[in-house]
Amino acid sequence: MAEEKGLNFIEEIVEEDLKNGKYQQIITRFPPEPNGYLHIGHASSICLNFGLTEKYGGYTNLRFDDTNPVTEETEYVESIKEDVKWLGFTWKNELYASDYFDTLYGFAVDLVKKGLAYIDDSSSEEIARLKGTPTEPGSNSPYRNRSVEENLDLFERMKNGEFKDGSKTLRAKIDMAHSNMLMRDPVLYRIKHAHHHRTGNKWCIYPMYDFAHGQSDSIEEVTHSLCTLEFVPHRELYNWLIEKLEIYPSRQYEFARRNLTYTITSKRKLLQLVNEKYVNGWDDPRMTTISGMRRRGFTPASIRDFASRIGVAKRENLVSMSLLEHCVREDLNRIAIRRMAVLDPVKLIITNYPNGQTEEVLSENNPEAEDNGGTRPVIFSGELWIEKEDFMETPAKKWFRLAPGALVRLKSAYIIKCEGYNKDSNGNITEIHCTYLPESKSGNDVSGIRTKGTIHWVSAAHAAKAEVRLYDRLFSVEDPAAEEKDFLEYVNPGSLQVIPEAYIEADLGNAKPGDRYQFIRKGYFIADNDSTPQHLIFNRTVTLKDTWAKESRK
Ligand code: ATP
Ligand code: MG
């Protein structure tokens, strides 16, 4: 809990502002650009923005930063709304920067009238050339001293579509020698004859980020505008525009972007993975998009918990994927019901179990659940499937599972003893033969024998079949974006393993998409969106233990 950890630096600012009576309520916004699906980095920002107003009172707007007509799509808007809701947050207003195009145009006219903005006919190359460098001042554009009347006339004609793309811009008139390059007469408006997903063909001039973002904040009277560190140099312009326009004084605060090991948190790169078919769409369970994680079986609570544990930082760093997995394990351990599933089956015959007999044994649904989960009947018979890896022909030291002559317990059922096995001509084990101890039934064990190993099983005649998809990290290096070669070179070729036919407990045949289970000893699983009773599909969310920690010790 944040309270126990003390306040983060943004909470400190907010508490100070409330104590001083600067604000009666806190207003924040989450401002995604609808040019892709949200990822785990955005989840941090969502939890921060919504978390603040939940904690201190006030509200959060969802504002689509849709000022670039070329890359934005309605599909993305819908997915973003779904993701924020799924994470468990409710926005006060659904807003679009494009709703403010008229107001923003008015603000621009105001600046022109104040002599604080001008129309420049220079090409973008020319503007860049005159910009100077961080160590040398820039030079004034030859169009910088146009009269207010001429600027007003040209700006209106820009809006009316008289000029071609790139032929003119509206620029703030600040200082071409300013130490902050962003203050050297930044471009506020550009011409783009493009269709916009909401305003259609109404506009052919579009405001730049710096002239839309802060102004939108002011229009909504956002008190604390939270953004990532790359906007630190923009703050000066943010404040300049608010001051000169004499609009509501929103304040910008910056925090560090959150990046995770073994994955990518950039919409542009995630889009590349989708377009170039490294993954099967934005919601591929290997993607750390919110929709991918949802399909993979992550819970909203686990993602919120993760965001709260990593908190807010002032400096960028890589957060370990293991922490995210730890969070989901902890949540699923409480809520996922236990079932048995055999992923890599070999037949086990109990030679002294009466032919054709079946019985029900009781197995716990979830001993970790608050209500203890209760039990379920599982059908037991003399022909079972068990995992191949639970048998060793020549057992290693400290092998407590099945081996010739060894005793092991079948989960919730009997102790068995391995009496023999068959192999095919390639040396593969095809069948294991055991006897069982009738007096060793779980819950009523009078055998006096204690076994060290317990293995899971399903009855061969009663098991349902399912496709099971096992996922590994999507990249084989910790920080693919920081490597020498293109990040695509580091995609892990083994990130998806499909088991076409696993055997699962019969009642899993009723699993509906989104149902979560712990397959005993195998990990946490969720029924995939495409799963049907005719073709069951389960995705492994995460293994039961952290297999990565082991690997990094190698
Ligand atoms: P991307 O590079 O993935 O496109 P972005 O910052 O351009 O990211 P936006 O849609 O503009 O994406 O982001 C919406 C909000 O989410 C912004 O306030 C942004 O600062 C925040 N955000 C984006 N990525 C991260 C991240 N990795 N960690 C924390 N916050 C992030
Ligand atoms: Mg962006």
Side-chain angles (χ1 to χ4, degrees):
M1 286 267 98
E3 286 91 330
E4 286 159 25
K5 276 196 303 189
L7 301 179
N8 66 50
F9 76 96
I10 293 182
E11 290 172 328
E12 278 174 10
I13 292 167
V14 168
E15 290 206 355
E16 194 62 29
D17 287 345
L18 287 171
K19 206 170 77 197
N20 295 342
K22 190 166 169 191
Y23 306 111
Q24 299 313 308
Q25 63 173 355
I26 299 303
I27 304 176
T28 61
R29 84 290 171 264
F30 174 63
E33 186 180 345
N35 61 349
Y37 281 60
L38 297 180
H39 52 63
I40 184 71
H42 293 114
S44 274
S45 172
I46 292 169
C47 291
L48 173 62
N49 279 294
F50 284 89
L52 273 181
T53 55
E54 276 181 3
K55 183 169 175 183
Y56 293 107
Y59 60 83
T60 302
N61 288 334
L62 175 61
R63 185 205 310 147
F64 291 99
D65 195 345
D66 60 347
T67 49
N68 180 359
V70 185
T71 53
E72 289 135 10
E73 284 178 33
T74 310
E75 175 198 345
Y76 297 137
V77 168
E78 292 310 315
S79 77
I80 289 168
K81 283 160 60 176
E82 186 185 352
D83 289 350
V84 175
K85 268 190 245 165
W86 180 77
L87 279 175
F89 297 110
T90 310
W91 53 86
K92 169 94 169 180
N93 303 298
E94 176 185 334
L95 302 165
Y96 294 80
S98 58
D99 291 342
Y100 307 137
F101 281 169
D102 285 296
T103 312
L104 294 174
Y105 180 79
F107 285 163
V109 168
D110 186 33
L111 279 185
V112 173
K113 285 186 181 156
K114 288 175 170 159
L116 293 170
Y118 61 97
I119 303 293
D120 195 337
D121 295 0
S122 310
S123 65
S124 56
E125 294 78 25
E126 187 62 2
I127 289 177
R129 197 180 66 79
L130 294 178
K131 197 109 201 188
T133 68
T135 49
E136 294 160 55
S139 331
N140 288 348
S141 158
Y143 304 97
R144 198 172 196 265
N145 289 322
R146 280 178 158 153
S147 68
V148 168
E149 291 66 37
E150 189 182 2
N151 281 323
L152 282 175
D153 173 60
L154 286 171
F155 191 43
E156 181 160 8
R157 288 165 58 197
M158 253 170 84
K159 179 182 79 137
N160 293 342
E162 283 189 32
F163 308 117
K164 283 205 302 271
D165 284 11
S167 62
K168 284 184 171 43
T169 53
L170 178 75
R171 297 179 71 181
K173 195 171 186 174
I174 307 179
D175 178 2
M176 288 306 292
H178 203 286
S179 57
N180 180 348
M181 297 274 289
L182 286 169
M183 297 293 279
R184 295 184 188 171
D185 291 11
V187 173
L188 305 179
Y189 265 91
R190 69 209 144 144
I191 304 175
K192 219 167 211 176
H193 291 267
H195 184 88
H196 186 279
H197 78 125
R198 282 176 67 87
T199 56
N201 295 325
K202 177 174 174 194
W203 295 90
C204 63
I205 56 170
Y206 290 95
M208 302 299 286
Y209 172 86
D210 284 313
F211 194 67
H213 199 90
Q215 285 51 55
S216 302
D217 286 344
S218 289
I219 293 168
E220 294 168 26
E221 302 198 346
V222 166
T223 55
H224 299 76
S225 172
L226 311 175
C227 60
T228 38
L229 285 179
E230 68 271 26
F231 291 100
V232 168
H234 295 251
R235 196 195 318 136
E236 208 168 0
L237 180 54
Y238 184 101
N239 290 339
W240 186 89
L241 287 166
I242 282 177
E243 187 198 317
K244 300 301 175 198
L245 290 168
E246 300 167 88
I247 54 181
Y248 182 85
S250 299
R251 286 287 168 255
Q252 173 182 306
Y253 301 93
E254 307 87 10
F255 61 95
R257 222 166 238 278
R258 287 310 197 172
N259 302 313
L260 261 191
T261 55
Y262 299 105
T263 189
I264 288 284
T265 40
S266 148
K267 277 182 281 184
R268 191 177 53 79
K269 292 195 172 107
L270 291 169
L271 177 64
Q272 225 178 320
L273 289 169
V274 174
N275 284 345
E276 298 176 29
K277 306 242 180 318
Y278 286 90
V279 294
N280 303 313
W282 283 100
D283 67 346
D284 185 302
R286 288 167 292 179
M287 296 272 274
T288 39
T289 51
I290 296 178
S291 53
M293 294 171 67
R294 174 164 61 233
R295 190 164 182 178
R296 172 86 168 250
F298 281 83
T299 58
S302 65
I303 297 175
R304 291 196 307 263
D305 182 31
F306 171 73
S308 136
R309 284 177 199 235
I310 63 175
V312 202
K314 286 186 183 176
R315 240 186 268 157
E316 284 211 11
N317 63 348
L318 270 184
V319 180
S320 167
M321 177 70 94
S322 296
L323 179 61
L324 177 61
E325 297 197 334
H326 171 80
C327 293
V328 73
R329 270 190 202 103
E330 211 172 74
D331 196 27
L332 291 177
N333 187 37
R334 285 188 301 109
I335 64 171
I337 61 172
R338 275 53 169 168
R339 289 294 181 267
M340 294 195 275
V342 176
L343 306 187
D344 187 16
V346 61
K347 187 66 78 65
L348 183 141
I349 312 272
I350 303 177
T351 51
N352 61 339
Y353 195 80
N355 224 339
Q357 180 175 309
T358 62
E359 67 184 291
E360 284 185 344
V361 299
L362 290 179
S363 200
E364 287 173 311
N365 283 325
N366 183 0
E368 305 284 337
E370 268 158 32
D371 65 351
N372 182 33
T375 56
R376 70 187 180 286
V378 184
I379 295 197
F380 182 81
S381 70
E383 252 191 61
L384 310 175
W385 294 112
I386 64 161
E387 299 286 351
K388 262 187 204 143
E389 63 173 20
D390 282 337
F391 176 78
M392 261 188 119
E393 222 178 334
T394 325
K397 249 195 200 165
K398 293 205 173 165
W399 176 260
F400 300 125
R401 292 176 265 166
L402 215 49
L407 291 163
V408 81
R409 175 170 292 283
L410 292 171
K411 169 82 183 162
S412 305
Y414 297 95
I415 294 177
I416 52 169
K417 181 179 182 192
C418 177
E419 310 283 358
Y421 54 93
N422 294 343
K423 279 208 265 190
D424 65 15
S425 53
N426 297 320
N428 298 315
I429 310 287
T430 52
E431 212 170 81
I432 300 167
H433 301 138
C434 295
T435 50
Y436 85 118
L437 278 58
E439 69 278 18
S440 67
K441 190 167 180 177
S442 288
N444 188 23
D445 181 358
V446 291
S447 69
I449 297 175
R450 286 184 147 264
T451 53
K452 278 198 171 155
T454 300
I455 64 173
H456 62 275
W457 52 272
V458 291
S459 168
H462 305 94
K465 290 176 189 164
E467 178 181 330
V468 171
R469 299 174 182 169
L470 306 179
Y471 300 100
D472 196 359
R473 55 183 90 151
L474 185 51
F475 291 93
S476 49
V477 293
E478 273 208 338
D479 192 0
E483 291 287 333
E484 210 170 298
K485 289 189 261 174
D486 188 62
F487 76 103
L488 293 171
E489 304 271 331
Y490 303 96
V491 171
N492 173 7
S495 59
L496 169 62
Q497 184 197 343
V498 178
I499 297 172
E501 207 169 88
Y503 293 106
I504 59 178
E505 259 182 63
D507 84 323
L508 286 174
N510 302 318
K512 287 182 295 298
D515 286 351
R516 295 186 168 92
Y517 302 93
Q518 182 195 97
F519 289 173
I520 290 171
R521 302 173 65 220
K522 291 280 125 188
Y524 293 102
F525 290 76
I526 186 168
D528 186 70
N529 295 351
D530 290 339
S531 183
T532 64
Q534 291 70 39
H535 184 107
L536 295 163
I537 306 170
F538 291 92
N539 296 322
R540 181 156 70 191
T541 310
V542 66
T543 52
L544 292 183
K545 293 204 186 97
D546 187 350
T547 51
W548 298 14
K550 234 179 6 208
E551 276 180 46
S552 56
R553 260 188 265 124
K554 265 187 206 161

